[in-house]
């Protein structure tokens, strides 16, 4: 049961957003810029960063919904399958150094993993490794901020003890919607 | 030296904001709603919550600038002094259970301290204690979100290794400005 009287029937962060539209608006806008805005990182790559951080913060709702969003965004349909995309995202979640992602993504995921612990744990060597793998300053900036932002979203979701569905099918549908519509739509459903 | 090429001469988070105005806008808007918007908690009280979390995240720039903002907001000028306000904020930073704040504030600070560690560490008993001390659902919500948001701001500031002035006078002036002008002004200076 949620710690406070949140609107019923809304999963996870959407119940906090419905409770307090004044804070929901900038939070949704920030997620939209970071995960869907113009970037040299694909939305699928950025959702994988969000999923890794949410997994390490042990936030069930966020890791499951963003895992699904990442999988749907990575699913190109050209010879790939949604199942293979889910497998890739799970490889990133649990062992990104050995996942089938680019050296640049591995270096950015390392930075995100460090930010999850503390901003101070990001060292010059981590940044140099990302640069040598081809990361730009903007990509490094956005990786740091995506990781930092999910340290907020995860704490918000769990700090209020929001309701989290357990049915994976619900998250798959949520992920498909997040992949399609992003974070600033008017609907009250979704992450 | 910052990890990426940030605009020079801007302290702390303002250099990240100048580097990436697209993300600065919702981040400033969120800070404004949470710390300056209409609330039954005073802005001084809300800045103390932000300062406690920033202190526990060991973010020098944020804890020092929000400490100053809190002190200036708490300084009523009616028999109180700025120095006494700084002392109160420092008491909250380092030992809030014995600080001269209300039982309600102590219960909210406890919730914020737990959110700093993890959203999951907030327990039903923490919420009940806050309610018994008179806290409303909205105050509890905003406390959770202020703490969560500073887990983002702190990681952003330190994850980019932004420049932090060491002169306390700089922070006192910054705090006075933040107390007076808030977070959505056009100026590029400030936290």
């Amino acid at each position: 049961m949620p710690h406070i009287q949140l609107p019923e029937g809304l999963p996870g962060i959407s119940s906090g957003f419905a409770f307090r539209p004044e804070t929901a608006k900038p939070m949704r806008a920030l997620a939209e810029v970071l995960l869907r805005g113009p970037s040299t990182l694909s939305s699928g790559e950025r959702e994988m960063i969000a999923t890794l951080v949410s997994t390490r913060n042990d936030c069930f709702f966020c890791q499951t919904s963003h895992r699904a969003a990442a999988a749907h965004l990575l699913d190109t349909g050209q010879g790939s399958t949604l199942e293979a995309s889910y497998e890739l995202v799970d490889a990133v979640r649990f062992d990104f150094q050995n996942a089938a992602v680019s050296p640049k993504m591995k270096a950015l995921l390392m930075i995100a993993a460090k930010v999850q612990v503390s901003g101070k744990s990001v060292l010059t060597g981590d940044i140099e490794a990302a640069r040598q793998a081809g990361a730009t300053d903007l990509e490094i900036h956005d990786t740091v901020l995506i990781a930092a932002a999910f340290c907020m979203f995860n704490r918000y979701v769990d700090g209020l003890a929001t309701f989290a569905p357990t049915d994976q099918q619900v998250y798959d549908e949520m992920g498909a919607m997040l992949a399609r519509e992003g974070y600033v739509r008017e609907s009250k459903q979704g992450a």
Side-chain angles (χ1 to χ4, degrees), chain A:
Chain A
M1 226 180 83
H3 286 321
I4 61 173
Q5 192 80 37
L6 296 172
E8 279 176 38
L10 296 175
I13 203 163
S14 55
S15 61
F17 284 173
F19 180 83
R20 188 78 152 106
E22 300 86 353
T23 47
K25 193 178 170 193
M27 291 173 81
R28 283 184 182 280
L30 181 61
E32 181 71 17
V33 173
L34 285 173
L35 302 174
R36 295 291 180 279
S39 170
T40 47
L41 298 173
S42 73
S43 281
E45 287 172 326
R46 289 176 279 166
E47 289 282 359
M48 286 200 289
I49 294 169
T51 304
L52 174 70
V53 172
S54 301
T55 300
R56 295 204 172 193
N57 279 327
D58 195 23
C59 180
F60 178 79
F61 177 79
C62 296
Q63 71 183 277
T64 313
S65 54
H66 289 280
R67 166 185 181 265
H72 281 276
L73 286 159
L74 292 167
D75 181 32
T76 65
Q78 303 171 333
S80 77
T81 65
L82 182 59
E83 192 182 1
S85 296
Y86 269 115
E87 277 171 20
L88 176 60
V89 180
D90 284 340
V92 164
R93 282 167 81 202
F94 299 118
D95 185 15
F96 69 82
Q97 293 287 20
N98 291 305
V101 295
S102 67
K104 185 176 87 176
M105 269 306 290
K106 287 183 189 180
L108 293 175
L109 288 162
M110 177 59 86
I111 291 171
K114 292 205 164 187
V115 169
Q116 186 267 328
V117 178
S118 158
K120 282 187 198 306
S121 61
V122 180
L123 304 180
T124 307
D126 301 312
I127 304 296
E128 279 169 7
R131 279 221 187 83
Q132 280 171 18
T136 65
D137 273 16
L138 187 55
E139 288 171 343
I140 293 167
H141 171 280
D142 283 9
T143 297
V144 168
L145 188 49
I146 290 168
F150 276 82
C151 287
M152 168 176 71
F153 292 127
N154 298 162
R155 280 170 172 78
Y156 183 50
V157 164
D158 282 338
L160 295 176
T162 60
F163 161 67
T166 51
D167 182 354
Q168 286 293 329
Q169 183 62 29
V170 170
Y171 291 96
D172 185 66
E173 286 164 15
M174 203 184 289
M177 192 184 66
L178 290 172
R180 200 172 55 235
E181 300 179 21
Y183 296 94
V184 290
R185 70 200 175 287
E186 284 308 297
S187 159
K188 283 173 178 169
Q189 292 294 326

